[in-house]
Amino acid sequence: VQDLDEARAQYASLKARLPKYGRKPEDVVFLPGVMPVVGRTEREALDKARTVASLLGAQGSLVAEDVEDRIAKKVHELHDKL
């Protein structure tokens, strides 16, 4: 979501639907603009991120580069702890 009004509408919609599923509004955290990419390996996660980015066009390319940088940094941080 790139638009603040759209993000607010999605937030309100999500929170309004929670009681139907037995949840309270505070049970769910809404993180607009956050898109986790998960893979069994670092390579798989990066490949998935690139695929998503290719579908987003030029803006997606910037997202992919940022995701790659953050994943690489985290992997190195975890490796250093071992």
Side-chain angles (χ1 to χ4, degrees):
V1 176
Q2 300 299 318
D3 178 74
L4 185 57
D5 290 333
E6 185 180 344
R8 286 180 175 147
Q10 285 185 359
Y11 177 89
S13 173
L14 175 70
K15 295 291 184 166
R17 288 180 279 145
L18 291 175
K20 177 180 176 182
Y21 300 98
R23 300 287 185 143
K24 297 177 288 191
E26 61 269 14
D27 290 340
V28 176
V29 176
F30 189 77
L31 303 170
V34 174
M35 186 178 65
V37 179
V38 180
R40 287 182 290 267
T41 64
E42 178 183 0
R43 174 62 34 215
E44 183 180 14
L46 290 171
D47 289 344
K48 287 180 178 183
R50 285 190 193 104
T51 298
V52 170
S54 72
L55 299 172
L56 297 173
Q59 182 179 2
S61 295
L62 296 174
V63 171
E65 289 175 26
D66 184 51
V67 168
E68 267 189 61
D69 290 345
R70 285 192 269 161
I71 290 173
K73 181 179 177 185
K74 192 57 149 176
V75 167
H76 293 292
E77 287 173 3
L78 292 171
H79 183 267
D80 290 345
K81 289 182 180 179
L82 296 177

